[in-house]
Amino acid sequence: MSHGYSLWAAAGAALLSSVVVGVINAFAIVKLKFIPLLGTLSVMYILQGVQLLITNNKVISISEPTLNLIANGAFLHIPVPVWIFLIVGAMAYVLFNHTVFGNWVYAVGGNPEAARAAGVHVNLTLALTYIIASITAFIASLIIVARLSGTVTGIGDIMLLDILLAGLMSAVFSKLSVPNMTGAVLSALFVGMLSNGFTLINVPTYWVFAIKGALILVAVAITTTQQRRVKPHV
């Protein structure tokens, strides 16, 4: 966009790039059997290096009416980013809780061998989850670019801890202690309010990271304990 291309051309290129990254992650984890967290983190840091090379580690500022609307607009007195969050969350909830594909995802996540024995295409289901994640990452990046009026290098590192915390905490809201959409939405709201509250009361950055790290440990401990209690009854 800073070179004169339209928002739609830039967004299309960004969506395509994001899906390609999702395919790369899926291939690394499904075919090459990488550990999921390490595989995706490795790809993320490679891409951050590419970003630094392309931008020369500089902030790229842009101003565009549609992006300004996304960042500052409101409908029924509710900001546009909140509407996007609610719509995407609702779509994901329906997908993972009221479709056959959602049942496949939970089956593959719970017991891949049992899912394969039941006729579920485990590799395809797992690969599709990474591609879906890449599409949601594109949507999130569009909101970030709109709110920042451009790009800021290293923003991924800043957000990574919040994303991990929201994802891990979602399992706390499940009877079976598994990640779920309702829990993810509630966790994201909690993490957002927590981060905003820390900013308002001027909590030092190192304390923010320490507290969020401790919350991750607590979430993992609670989930592990709950799973041990649930397993004998499943």
Side-chain angles (χ1 to χ4, degrees):
M1 290 180 65
S2 64
H3 286 78
Y5 288 91
S6 69
L7 169 65
W8 307 112
L15 176 59
L16 178 61
S17 300
S18 192
V19 171
V20 168
V21 173
V23 172
I24 292 173
N25 282 332
F27 179 79
I29 291 156
V30 174
K31 289 296 184 181
L32 301 182
K33 305 300 180 183
F34 284 14
I35 297 173
L37 182 59
L38 295 181
T40 51
L41 277 177
S42 298
V43 172
M44 186 190 80
Y45 284 117
I46 290 172
L47 292 174
Q48 286 186 347
V50 172
Q51 179 196 26
L52 292 175
L53 289 173
I54 294 174
T55 63
N56 291 320
N57 198 19
K58 295 179 180 179
V59 174
I60 299 178
S61 300
I62 55 172
S63 179
E64 201 277 338
T66 303
L67 290 179
N68 292 337
L69 176 64
I70 293 174
N72 304 309
F75 178 69
L76 298 177
H77 303 291
I78 299 176
V80 172
V82 176
W83 280 111
I84 296 174
F85 173 72
L86 294 175
I87 291 170
V88 173
M91 292 173 62
Y93 175 81
V94 172
L95 176 64
F96 290 110
N97 291 277
H98 296 285
T99 67
V100 174
F101 175 74
N103 293 333
W104 291 352
V105 171
Y106 281 111
V108 171
N111 191 324
E113 296 305 321
R116 186 175 286 107
V120 177
H121 198 306
V122 173
N123 288 348
L124 177 61
T125 301
L126 186 57
L128 286 174
T129 61
Y130 285 98
I131 294 173
I132 292 171
S134 71
I135 296 173
T136 60
F138 157 73
I139 297 171
S141 70
L142 189 64
I143 298 173
I144 293 170
V145 169
R147 289 179 62 84
L148 296 178
S149 297
T151 64
V152 177
T153 55
I155 191 68
D157 282 334
I158 297 173
M159 298 182 62
L160 180 59
L161 196 60
D162 288 354
I163 294 169
L164 286 174
L165 179 56
L168 291 170
M169 280 188 62
S170 69
V172 176
F173 296 93
S174 167
K175 292 182 180 180
L176 298 177
S177 300
V178 295
N180 60 94
M181 278 311 305
T182 304
V185 169
L186 294 174
S187 299
L189 290 172
F190 170 76
V191 173
M193 289 188 294
L194 188 69
S195 298
N196 190 52
F198 285 151
T199 301
L200 291 175
I201 62 177
N202 296 318
V203 175
T205 303
Y206 53 84
W207 277 113
V208 174
F209 281 109
I211 293 170
K212 289 181 179 179
L215 286 174
I216 289 176
L217 289 177
V218 171
V220 172
I222 292 174
T223 302
T224 303
T225 302
Q226 288 179 342
Q227 286 177 344
R228 289 174 179 172
R229 293 176 180 176
V230 170
K231 281 183 178 180
H233 303 287
V234 175

